[in-house]
Amino acid sequence: MSPRRRPATVTGNSLEPLLATKEIVIFCGSGGVGKTSTAAAAGVAAATRLGGKVLVLTIDPARRLASALGLEGFGNLEKRVPDEALRAAGLEPRGELWAAMLDTKRSWDDLVLRHAPNEETAYRILENRLYTNITGRFVQSHDYIAMERLYDVHTTGKYDLIIIDTPPTRSAIDFLEAPKRMAEFFGGRLLRWLTLPYRVGGRRGARVLTAASRPFYQLADRILGSQFLQDIAEFFLNFQSMYDGFVERAQAVERLLHDRRTAFTVVTTLEGAPLREAQFFCEELVARKFNLGALVLNKTLPGYFLEPEGDEAAETLCSDADGIADAVAATGIAELGDGARNARVLRTVGDSFKNFAVVARREAELKAVLSDAPEAVVTIPNFEVDIHDVSGLARIGDYLFAA
Amino acid sequence: MRPAPDLLARRLLFFTGKGGVGKSTVAAATALLAAERGQRVLVVEADDKGNLPRHFEAAPVGFQPREVYPGVHVMAMRTEDSLKEYLRLNLRVPVLSRLGPLARALEFVATAAPGVKEILTVGKVCWEVRESIEGRADWDLVVVDAAATGHIIGQLDAPRGIKELVSVGMVRQQTDWMVELLSDPAITALNVVATPEEMPVQETIELVERAKAELAVPLGLVLVNRVLPELFTRPDEETFEALREPEATKILDEQAGPGATSVLEAARLAVSLRRTRVAYLSELREAVELPLVYLPYLFVRDQGVRVTKMVAEELGQELGL
């Protein structure tokens, strides 16, 4: 274990205490807020400033970010980010940085192979056409499998800190429910009831319908056709053979998410919709007794837009552009010889400031309404370039660790 | 390539895009634009968040469409309600109380079986369009705030997928007319909303390629949202750079006060933000052979109906309306 520098209390405007004390930090938030980059930056910062063995488990990184972390191609393989890559970005590694990408299909296959009672059943499931469809398309399956994979990696005990970025979901809350829902789904009375005629009559045998289920099957036959229904039933019958292992596992995953060693970090921009989602998510986490560790406000405008001096200067540059343009022209700098052009540029500069200031004030106001925010709130500015390399991640890291 | 001017002449417009790019805003603005031109519009919010009415300063809606702005009705897709409606219309199951448990069981199958949820969404949308074409409903245009880039193919391909899975039965018969309607370029268009940033552009390029290869649904426009203004012409930019020389900055400080440095710094930020994004725009233009429409970044204080109107106005101009 590497030295950990601070006590376990989380306060202020830094992620450092969180990253130094927790074993799992889950980054969540709505799409497009910069979740993946922030999570990766936290990993880089932890490995270079705190030390230990750090894994960044990412779902769907931008291609250039993925290659910056050495994640070419697919597969669940964890790969070490070479120290040279960190040094090239001016960072001195204190620990090890590892990265892995989530391969949904592969993770599901692993899960089936692990829990199926025998090989024959496992392969019958893997070859079922509904199975491929479900694992590929079923939105909820991504939610579940990400958490399942997290559990899997955590139990190997290989890492001091695992940072995971969550899949894009319809609602940020979905993946929290996923383990429970999966367990309920496969253990549900409805499912048993639905597959009953197939169990009683054997896989290909005649269906023995109870009085309760008969109207349903008659209706379902008319709508879907009996063959389709039989395909579904067969699939779930096979899946049910894994029920015990599966539920046990889902419960373990849920326990891990609730464990005090796990903390959540909500990432958001200061725009209306993502912020509403973030606020809702913070409230839900607290209500469900998860550990809400920190809030990251990403892509914010610089603070100078809120200073009155800036406003005054912008105003003067616009209203007094001609006079100032002449004064500037007198410097003798060659490019400033044309007074009319100087005035035009000064007005543009002033107007642009006033435009952005409107947005900055809106951001500040939205920030103020965040009522249920955790104690640690970190602000990251809008960088003029997109972050897609390690030195960019290091820049974000500077803000994540701001003292 | 110039934008297809007949966008609003179609019956069914899907809007997709990476999360956070303003897909709902653009869908709402399209609806508003059409409504202001006298069309009766139904907006379908595919993900059942019920938030789309915010763009019209209205309260959340449910499965029943409600008018949120003159000429604009909004409904939130609830697959369970869609299923109940389907059963009621197709099977004429008389007693609603009996429908409850049955619908729940079918909803369960819907959750489990691939494509069933999607078909209930797309099916309802197609049904509204067909009813309108045949004069039983009076929507001139149905706008769908559809699934994000990651899930849109599955959503729109559901009728075909179901056809492959279900060999007989009523559902199969009904997928034929849906496929026909969805693949008619005079009726349907799939539009992609992006912002000039790395991931949204990348996802747009990938989606357009996949949609061309895998979907029969015709592609419409790519709408690039939040495009920052170009501040300077090239000569003006040289002047701006010169203003940042210490000698010039000193004069600006004297004349405009101590905030002048920040104002210059802010303009530099605006210039470089714009520059990074322009590179993504060129990448998009090169990779995607679809009409591109640009919607400006709006420097406004709120996000309600005022923004929807502004975006609608910009969209109208871009479409040459």
Side-chain angles (χ1 to χ4, degrees), chain B:
Chain B
M1 221 197 280
R2 283 304 301 160
D6 65 339
L7 189 74
L8 297 186
R10 307 199 199 191
R11 286 282 190 164
L12 174 56
L13 299 175
F14 289 94
F15 289 89
T16 183
K18 180 176 162 42
V21 297
K23 178 168 66 74
S24 307
T25 309
V26 174
T30 307
L32 193 143
L33 179 67
E36 302 225 304
R37 297 172 56 79
Q39 295 185 302
R40 285 182 56 82
V41 188
L42 173 67
V43 184
V44 180
E45 193 179 6
D47 73 355
D48 184 26
K49 276 191 186 167
N51 283 335
L52 199 126
R54 271 180 200 275
H55 295 285
F56 299 95
E57 313 282 342
V61 290
F63 189 69
Q64 281 308 315
R66 203 184 67 223
E67 190 163 34
V68 295
Y69 187 87
V72 180
H73 284 68
V74 179
M75 63 164 285
M77 182 54 67
R78 301 216 169 113
T79 45
E80 198 175 330
D81 288 323
S82 173
L83 181 63
K84 279 185 195 158
E85 188 179 270
Y86 174 83
L87 293 177
R88 196 159 37 81
L89 290 167
N90 287 281
L91 300 168
R92 305 201 161 71
V93 179
V95 193
L96 262 172
S97 61
R98 270 182 62 198
L99 203 55
L102 274 179
R104 256 207 314 283
L106 273 180
E107 166 78 7
F108 184 80
V109 175
T111 318
V116 175
K117 255 199 144 93
E118 285 84 355
I119 195 92
L120 288 169
T121 299
V122 172
K124 165 73 175 168
V125 167
C126 289
W127 188 75
E128 290 291 339
V129 174
R130 194 178 67 164
E131 290 291 290
S132 305
I133 291 173
E134 293 174 0
R136 288 186 296 269
D138 54 357
W139 312 122
D140 298 305
L141 177 67
V142 176
V143 170
V144 187
D145 181 8
T149 33
H151 304 300
I152 185 73
I153 299 269
Q155 193 170 62
L156 292 181
D157 206 27
R160 268 202 331 205
I162 289 286
K163 251 178 101 165
E164 280 165 26
L165 283 170
V166 184
S167 46
V168 288
M170 209 159 70
V171 164
R172 183 187 164 86
Q173 292 157 23
Q174 289 178 335
T175 53
D176 285 335
W177 66 265
M178 286 187 205
V179 172
E180 202 176 301
L181 196 147
L182 286 172
S183 51
D184 187 342
I187 295 176
T188 308
L190 168 62
N191 306 285
V192 193
V193 183
T195 50
E197 293 166 287
E198 183 178 15
M199 282 297 272
V201 163
Q202 192 179 309
E203 286 194 12
T204 302
I205 294 171
E206 283 166 11
L207 175 72
V208 168
E209 277 169 18
R210 276 195 66 192
K212 277 184 177 160
E214 297 171 34
L215 282 182
V217 181
L219 284 154
L221 309 176
V222 173
L223 303 109
V224 189
N225 196 17
R226 296 191 205 131
V227 178
L228 284 169
E230 177 93 73
L231 284 190
F232 304 118
T233 59
R234 198 166 294 244
D236 281 11
E237 189 166 344
E238 279 171 25
T239 302
F240 170 65
E241 288 303 332
L243 283 173
R244 297 175 62 221
E245 303 272 339
E247 276 173 87
T249 314
K250 203 172 137 242
I251 295 173
L252 292 181
D253 273 349
E254 286 163 14
Q255 302 263 339
T261 321
S262 299
V263 177
L264 285 177
E265 186 57 31
R268 198 196 55 79
L269 177 68
V271 167
S272 38
L273 282 175
R274 157 90 192 177
R275 191 154 297 152
T276 320
R277 281 156 177 72
V278 163
Y280 293 119
L281 278 181
S282 335
E283 199 180 320
L284 186 64
R285 255 197 311 271
E286 252 166 58
V288 172
E289 283 177 358
L290 288 175
L292 256 61
V293 159
Y294 302 102
L295 301 168
Y297 187 97
L298 297 175
F299 298 99
V300 286
R301 65 179 71 187
D302 56 23
Q303 296 286 342
V305 70
R306 192 173 126 74
V307 167
T308 312
K309 280 187 169 169
M310 289 166 93
V311 176
E313 197 173 305
E314 299 286 348
L315 182 62
Q317 275 178 18
E318 280 283 291
L319 294 176
L321 297 173

